[in-house]
Amino acid sequence: MNKWIISGIIAVAVIIGILGVSFTSLELNNITKNEEPIKISVNAWPGYSHVFIAKEMGFFEANGVNVELLLKEDYSESQQLYLTGKSDGIFEVFTDTIIHNVNGIETKIVYIADYSTTGDVIVGSVENLSDLKGKTIGVEGINSFSHIFMLKVLEEKANLQESDVFFKVVSAQDVLQSLEDGSISAGHTWEPTKSESLNQGYVLLASAEDVSGIITDVLAFDSQIIEDRPDDIDAIVKSLIQARDFIEQDRDTSVTIMAEQVGISYDEMSDGLDGVYLLNLEDNRFSMKNSQDTKSLYHTGSFIADFFLDRGQIDVMPNFDEIIDDQFLN
């Protein structure tokens, strides 16, 4: 065979080999990148449990993003995962996103999951809110969203001030036990403890519907992950919008998935879902705009920040333009 032909064959083989290695390396790099999950911490709350629909129905996968959900029953445990860097994002109450930023943890809201209506409640062993004067009340934490909610309800519905009652830190899941042992006369809770408490004969004293806008649940991410992987964040938001819409299309399947994933009964999840308003895409766009509407995060955020300023918990008003990131809704 002519030596020039042989040389040509060898050259082509080398080129093919190099290209093959390059394509293989590129493919492996893409796989490695795609297989590196974005971790989101979440607790058992119906208002954002449609994240499990996005996972189980394959919306995340279809939109090209790998998501790992870190479920904790207790809200404070979910918070710890995020605060210690074990998750990239978190479903949480807007109040806590503000606190993260004030404390130097740059966190941005990319999606609003729900407004609580009758999902967050105050249950007690007394007949009326006014009967709580001089009594001990359970909240998730002092100066927490739970504390703000309780103070607002007491002030607007019973004309009671903070000095009129005593507060004790009691997690939502422990409210029924604390009512039973008499250590509190009322407490802030949600499903499944809400239904369990009412079934035991305790009284529904108030709900988030009485002070609308105070409890808003959001999906927030560390600013660095948003900067590093914006396409993945975009895919997550898209998947959540799809999951939210799927609930309207097939509520039975949706409730079944969410209940099984968070470990509560079908009825408890269904009741919990009835106690929140799930925001659609247009709702999200509206609520992330700077306005004086009570549904705007800017309006609600200002009220919450004023609370913390008055109590010396923060020194300056947060810049909500740096906290609210609506780019993934467009």
Side-chain angles (χ1 to χ4, degrees):
M1 184 179 291
N2 188 295
K3 65 178 182 179
W4 299 111
I5 296 176
I6 293 174
S7 299
I9 293 173
I10 292 173
V12 170
V14 169
I15 292 171
I16 291 174
I18 292 172
L19 288 175
V21 170
S22 298
F23 287 138
T24 301
S25 299
L26 181 61
E27 183 179 359
L28 288 174
N29 286 338
N30 283 339
I31 289 173
T32 301
K33 179 182 178 182
N34 291 337
E35 285 186 347
E36 191 173 320
I38 288 185
K39 297 180 180 180
I40 302 174
S41 56
V42 57
N43 67 294
W45 169 249
Y48 36 71
S49 289
H50 54 291
V51 68
F52 294 102
I53 295 176
K55 185 75 169 178
E56 294 301 306
M57 295 299 295
F59 297 150
F60 287 139
E61 184 178 2
N63 289 319
V65 60
N66 189 1
V67 175
E68 181 179 349
L69 300 177
L70 307 178
L71 174 64
K72 292 293 183 181
E73 180 182 4
D74 190 77
Y75 181 80
S76 61
E77 290 180 299
S78 179
Q79 284 286 312
Q80 281 303 305
L81 286 177
Y82 180 70
L83 295 175
T84 55
K86 294 178 181 177
S87 69
D88 303 303
I90 183 172
F91 281 97
E92 64 180 358
V93 182
F94 180 32
T95 303
D96 288 321
T97 311
I98 295 174
I99 292 298
H100 297 334
N101 282 278
V102 170
N103 289 335
I105 304 172
E106 293 187 9
T107 304
K108 292 181 180 292
I109 295 167
V110 300
Y111 171 76
I112 307 172
D114 71 280
Y115 299 126
S116 182
T117 53
T118 58
D120 285 87
V121 298
I122 301 171
V123 294
S125 56
V126 297
E127 293 300 318
N128 300 289
L129 284 170
S130 57
D131 297 331
L132 290 174
K133 187 172 184 177
K135 301 293 198 317
T136 300
I137 302 170
V139 292
E140 279 278 319
I142 302 303
N143 295 329
S144 67
F145 77 95
S146 178
H147 192 187
I148 296 174
F149 165 58
M150 187 69 75
L151 288 174
K152 191 72 170 174
V153 168
L154 291 175
E155 178 184 350
E156 293 193 3
K157 300 300 176 181
N159 198 29
L160 292 177
Q161 305 302 311
E162 187 167 12
S163 58
D164 292 323
V165 299
F166 300 96
F167 284 108
K168 179 179 180 180
V169 176
V170 179
S171 69
Q173 287 74 23
D174 295 332
V175 164
L176 177 56
Q177 179 58 47
S178 296
L179 286 170
E180 295 277 77
D181 64 28
S183 59
I184 62 173
S185 297
H188 168 212
T189 191
W190 50 79
E191 294 292 359
T193 308
K194 169 188 170 182
S195 293
E196 293 169 355
S197 300
L198 296 180
N199 289 337
Q200 290 297 318
Y202 292 101
V203 179
L204 178 63
L205 298 172
S207 71
E209 194 171 36
D210 294 318
V211 285
S212 59
I214 294 297
I215 301 181
T216 301
D217 298 305
V218 300
L219 173 60
F221 284 97
D222 182 273
S223 296
Q224 192 61 54
I225 197 74
I226 294 177
E227 182 178 336
D228 292 344
R229 298 173 66 175
D231 290 343
D232 287 335
I233 303 301
D234 187 69
I236 289 171
V237 173
K238 179 179 180 180
S239 300
L240 289 169
I241 294 293
Q242 291 174 316
R244 183 263 176 207
D245 292 345
F246 183 79
I247 294 176
E248 291 189 345
Q249 299 163 15
D250 190 343
R251 181 183 170 97
D252 183 61
T253 299
S254 299
V255 172
T256 299
I257 290 173
M258 294 186 292
E260 288 178 352
Q261 290 299 310
V262 304
I264 65 177
S265 72
Y266 180 98
D267 289 342
E268 288 169 341
M269 177 57 72
S270 184
D271 289 344
L273 202 58
D274 289 337
V276 297
Y277 176 74
L278 301 181
L279 281 73
N280 60 26
L281 179 58
E282 289 306 315
D283 292 330
N284 263 269
R285 288 172 174 164
F286 179 82
S287 294
M288 286 201 191
K289 290 180 180 178
N290 189 350
S291 76
Q292 290 305 306
D293 191 283
T294 56
K295 294 179 180 178
S296 168
L297 288 184
Y298 286 85
H299 177 82
T300 306
S302 295
F303 168 80
I304 294 169
D306 282 338
F307 171 86
F308 288 127
L309 282 168
D310 290 342
R311 301 173 74 86
Q313 297 298 303
I314 62 176
D315 298 323
V316 296
M317 178 66 73
N319 183 347
F320 290 104
D321 287 332
E322 296 179 355
I323 297 175
I324 300 166
D325 189 348
D326 66 351
Q327 64 173 306
F328 305 106
L329 300 173
N330 299 316

